[in-house]
Structure formats: C-alpha cells, structure tokens
Amino acid sequence: MPEANFDGLVGPTHSYAGLSYGNVASARNQGAASSPRSAALQGLAKMEAVAALGLVQGVLPPHERPHVPTLRALGMSGTDAEVLAKAAKEDPVLLARVSSASAMWTANAATVMPAADTRDGRTHFVAANLREMFHRAIEPPVTARALVAIFADRARFEVHDALPARTEDDFGDEGAANHTRLTAGVENGGEVRGVHFFVYGTAKDARRKPSRFPARQTRSASERVASLGALDPARCVFAQQNADAIDAGVFHNDVIAVGNGNMLLCHELAFEDRAGTHAALRRAVGETLAIVEIKADEVSLEEAVKSYLFNSQLLTLPDGTMALVSPAECEENPRVKAAIDRVIADRGNPLARAVYMDVRESMRNGGGPACLRLRVPLADDDLGRINRSAVIDGAKLAELRAWATRRYRETLRAEDLADPALLRESRDALDELTRILRLGSIYDFQRT
Ligand code: SUG
C-alpha cells in the first residue's frame, strides 16, 4: 500500500509570536492576531483532500499549551492562574514559547524508517529533539507518547526517544523535514525497499556554514538517527544543505526539496555540493531516479521561500501517478505556477497533477502542506495493527470539525495567552480529543 500521512492538528493556542529565528514567515507575522479555529479547519480540509486522493490519512494530536510544567520547572509557582500571570509579567516571550502550537508541524515530529529497510524488520520512529528552538524543544516527550499510542504494537513498531542534545555542535535533529525516502519506482509504501536521504545544515568539518541564520540539523544527528533506525548504511545518503539557502530562510530541507518514490523535485541551490549529491543519489537509487531541478532564474530562492513551492506534498496515487499538494500561494505566483505546470507537462517524470490548498494560518508561521504531515510507509498488514481511531474517514472528519468549531476560539492575541480560561478550554479540548482518537492519557495534565 502507498505511504500513509499523519497530519498534526493545530492546538487551541495557535499564535504568531515570531519565535523561529531564520524562519522568514514567522518573523514577518510576529504580533499578528491568529485564528485557531480557521487553522484547525484548514488543516482538516487538507487532510480531507489527501484522503480523497485515495490515500490513508491519519492525525496526530496537538500538545498541551500553555505548558505550565515548563514554567514551574523554571521556578514559577502558585496556582496555574498565578503561574501564567507571573510568566506574562516577568517574561512574555517565555509565555509565548510555552504556548506555541508548533507541534502541528509533524514533519518535525520524528524520522520514520519503515520495516522494509530496517535490520529487524520493524518500523522505527525516532522522535526529533528540536533542540535549536526552545518552544520546539519541549515537544519530544509528548510526541513520543502520541506515536506510541498510535503505533503501539511492539512486534511491528519501535518508537525511540529523541536524541540527547547538549552543545551547539552535536545532535540537533529536526526529524523528517530533513529526511527523504526514495525508491526505484513510483511505489513508496512499506513493501518496497528505500534509500534514505538525510540532509544536514552543518557538521563539525563542514566546508561552509550559514552566516546569518542557524543550521538546525547536524550531520552527526542524522547519522545517529540512521543508526537507531537500524538502516543499512549502504542505502543511506548524507548531504549538506546549501549554506546560502539557509541564510535565505530555508531552515529545513523540505523548504527547498521534496522527494517521493523515484522523483526528487529540488531547487538548483538546495545542496552545498549539487553534482556530488545528485550522483550519490543516482548511485544509491539507480538510473530510474528522476531528479527534476528548478533553476534560480525560473524560481528564485526568495520566491521559493515565499511561495513554499518545495513544501508541497509529493504523493503517489493509487493509479501509479504522482500529485503535488501545494500551498495556494504557489497558484497565486505566476512564475511558480508556471514552473509547476512545466514539470507536469514534462513526460520525463511521474508528476501528473497539482492540487492547491489554503493552509494560510500555518503558512504565516512558515509551515506549508509538507510541514504539516509525517509520512509513514506502512505495509498492507500494518494497517490492521495501528490505532485506527487516529485514521481519518468521513465520520471522523465530521467529528473533528464539530470538535474544533465548538472548542477553538475564532481569534487569539498575545495578551490572551495569560488568560486562565484559555488554559482550561485547551485542556478540556485535548481531553475530549484523546477520547475521539483513543490515545489514552498522553498529556501531563491527565497524568498528575
Ligand atoms: O520550526 N514555525 C516552525 C515551522 C516548522 C515548519 N516545518 C517544516 N519546514 N517541516 C519552525 O520554525 C513559528 C512559531 C512562532 O513564531 O510563533 C514556528 O515554530
């Protein structure tokens, strides 16, 4: 069967706090009012659209935010309301950090290495440590619990905790956003063997490093992930991201390249060593690999970052063709739209169509369609071994839409984050969600 996609649901505290240095959209929209309800409905509409293409679509839950335990660990005490009031007064940026709904971008939840590629024949997940940004570094424990709640069968799945991370030079890991699985044909599921392409922003011996913005993924982290996932080293390719691309706002590889099956769609400025990276991929995947490049004079780095062209989902459909699920911003930019049309018209690759989705609430924080999903290549018989309550069908979609409409606020501003009513509403919403998705008690507030 083709790979499944597990999208992150945005949480009730979705906001624009400008928290991610090096993420151009996040900085540009700092301080804007957000709409958590629209964000949730946009995300659900995208899940519906992908399911309608004939794919298995799952959902991963938001995290508990504001995360009061983090504030307590930093010495703020009293009732929950008092803790929130202290944070708002003493450190509003910290309050924004522990309130971010950033777990919605599940391309950063984990790296997934499917059974067909691992030594023990099980599918391995390594939760990402996201250590570069404080607001994201608090995600891994709940991410791992959510994954275990869905992929619970230890005979088939192993969920690893995030890599330990200490200093700047060691194990910064941002998960699937810097990892692409390629195969020799259009089939991308758990039955076919894959090649694992890891792209890192920096390494101890890197020839060049970005000068303006941080490189979040390190080579040593990618290597440890591959090792935890029990991959065959001969089927792994490691490549450095172009330092200039990072400085232009490409904070993850999935902002400048997307691959699936035997197709890699990438910008000519994606990799530090362009020719060497292409050659290594061709050697590992074989001559059937179609590397489709977009040149800088067709779409500039700046346009790529603004439109999020490469943050499209490249999907294999049941009929054996591929579709691109792109942000609406790509359709609105004539040069980007023309580039997509050119690739579709070109017979040398499997891309047959594009679908444009409005995920603007997420885009304003630098999250496009591909950021919103974790790909999980499953084998046919795995589907019966996962928690099916987290898989979308018509009834589940209707239930989630009604839930979000009832539970989420229409508008949210920075000052609302200290509102104790918002904390209560969020916990009530998540408590109900864990019942809808049958996740058990994954949140701290449910466990104490
Ligand atoms: O980590 N934005 C996220 C966007 C993640 C996108 N994911 C992928 N490319 N796969 C980030 O920079 C912004 C939150 C804020 O500023 O309020 C944020 O965390």
Side-chain angles (χ1 to χ4, degrees):
M1 72 174 249
E3 67 174 11
N5 284 270
F6 280 78
D7 279 41
L9 251 181
V10 64
T13 57
H14 160 62
S15 46
Y16 300 116
L19 299 176
S20 284
Y21 185 61
N23 170 340
V24 180
S26 153
R28 193 183 325 114
N29 294 301
Q30 177 171 14
S34 60
S35 176
R37 189 186 296 158
S38 307
L41 296 177
Q42 286 170 4
L44 288 167
K46 179 174 86 78
M47 295 184 218
E48 182 174 39
V50 171
L53 291 171
L55 303 191
V56 172
Q57 176 68 57
V59 56
L60 286 166
H63 292 192
E64 165 191 356
R65 298 288 182 271
H67 195 242
V68 178
T70 298
L71 297 176
R72 291 190 187 281
L74 291 167
M76 295 179 188
S77 56
T79 63
D80 285 347
E82 284 163 357
V83 169
L84 290 178
K86 271 186 199 145
K89 184 156 166 272
E90 290 168 20
D91 193 343
V93 174
L94 175 64
L95 179 60
R97 285 173 163 161
V98 301
S99 302
S100 174
S102 53
M104 70 197 286
W105 299 296
T106 52
N108 307 117
T111 304
V112 184
M113 291 155 282
D117 303 337
T118 63
R119 267 195 308 279
D120 63 0
R122 296 185 303 156
T123 296
H124 289 255
F125 298 78
V126 178
N129 63 31
L130 296 165
R131 68 96 206 267
E132 187 63 34
M133 305 278 158
F134 183 94
H135 69 289
R136 304 219 59 181
I138 59 176
E139 294 174 29
V142 173
T143 297
R145 285 180 211 156
L147 289 172
V148 168
I150 297 171
F151 304 96
D153 185 345
R154 287 292 294 270
R156 302 294 308 156
F157 305 105
E158 173 86 40
V159 177
H160 302 268
D161 287 336
L163 302 181
R166 291 172 310 276
T167 64
E168 201 188 309
D169 265 336
D170 51 28
F171 303 120
D173 175 29
E174 303 266 324
N178 295 313
H179 165 257
T180 309
R181 181 174 181 258
L182 297 163
T183 56
V186 288
E187 294 79 22
N188 64 357
E191 279 87 10
V192 283
R193 282 182 81 202
V195 163
H196 293 256
F197 179 35
F198 292 90
V199 180
Y200 56 90
T202 193
K204 284 202 182 69
D205 57 354
R207 277 190 303 162
R208 248 162 38 98
K209 296 186 180 183
S211 53
R212 192 168 166 221
F213 291 145
R216 300 196 200 180
Q217 182 84 30
T218 66
R219 178 176 174 124
S220 31
S222 299
E223 287 169 348
R224 294 334 304 163
V225 168
S227 156
L228 271 173
L231 294 177
D232 175 357
R235 298 184 67 80
C236 293
V237 173
F238 298 89
Q240 190 187 341
Q241 208 183 340
N242 184 338
D244 299 329
I246 295 179
D247 282 338
V250 180
F251 55 95
H252 290 136
N253 178 59
D254 70 1
V255 177
I256 203 65
V258 56
N260 173 58
N262 62 339
M263 176 167 174
L264 178 70
L265 176 67
C266 58
H267 195 274
E268 68 170 327
L269 298 175
F271 311 116
E272 192 65 29
D273 173 8
R274 173 183 167 274
T277 303
H278 292 191
L281 288 173
R282 284 222 167 80
R283 268 196 308 276
V285 181
E287 283 312 311
T288 51
L289 177 66
I291 299 181
V292 180
E293 239 189 3
I294 307 278
K295 305 279 182 208
D297 60 10
E298 190 175 16
V299 174
S300 68
L301 267 184
E302 197 195 349
E303 287 171 311
V305 170
K306 205 160 181 207
S307 66
Y308 258 41
L309 161 60
F310 297 96
N311 204 258
S312 302
Q313 287 176 259
L314 184 57
L315 301 167
T316 295
L317 304 182
D319 68 2
T321 63
M322 290 192 196
L324 204 59
V325 176
S326 303
E329 285 79 352
C330 292
E331 195 177 23
E332 289 159 8
N333 178 322
R335 285 162 54 81
V336 173
K337 171 77 165 47
I340 294 175
D341 289 342
R342 172 183 70 78
V343 177
I344 292 173
D346 174 1
R347 289 290 162 81
N349 70 71
L351 185 66
R353 57 191 281 211
V355 178
Y356 297 95
M357 293 303 304
D358 175 0
V359 288
R360 284 182 218 275
E361 284 288 325
S362 170
M363 284 284 284
R364 288 190 192 113
N365 257 335
C371 298
L372 284 163
R373 64 90 168 86
L374 183 67
R375 318 164 79 155
V376 186
L378 293 172
D380 277 330
D381 65 339
D382 283 337
L383 199 53
R385 296 169 179 250
I386 67 172
N387 169 357
R388 290 297 291 265
S389 296
V391 173
I392 293 291
D393 58 15
K396 186 72 65 184
L397 262 169
E399 196 176 6
L400 291 172
R401 279 200 169 103
W403 166 83
T405 307
R406 192 161 25 83
R407 297 283 191 181
Y408 282 39
R409 294 189 184 186
E410 182 52 48
T411 313
L412 202 69
R413 295 193 169 72
E415 57 270 26
D416 300 328
L417 298 176
D419 179 1
L422 180 67
L423 177 67
R424 271 195 306 278
E425 286 164 34
S426 304
R427 287 181 177 167
D428 290 346
L430 298 190
D431 205 39
E432 184 182 352
L433 184 68
T434 51
R435 289 192 294 277
I436 297 175
L437 303 178
R438 292 184 203 273
L439 298 175
S441 299
I442 57 170
Y443 299 116
D444 294 331
F445 74 87
Q446 296 174 314
R447 294 154 80 101
T448 45

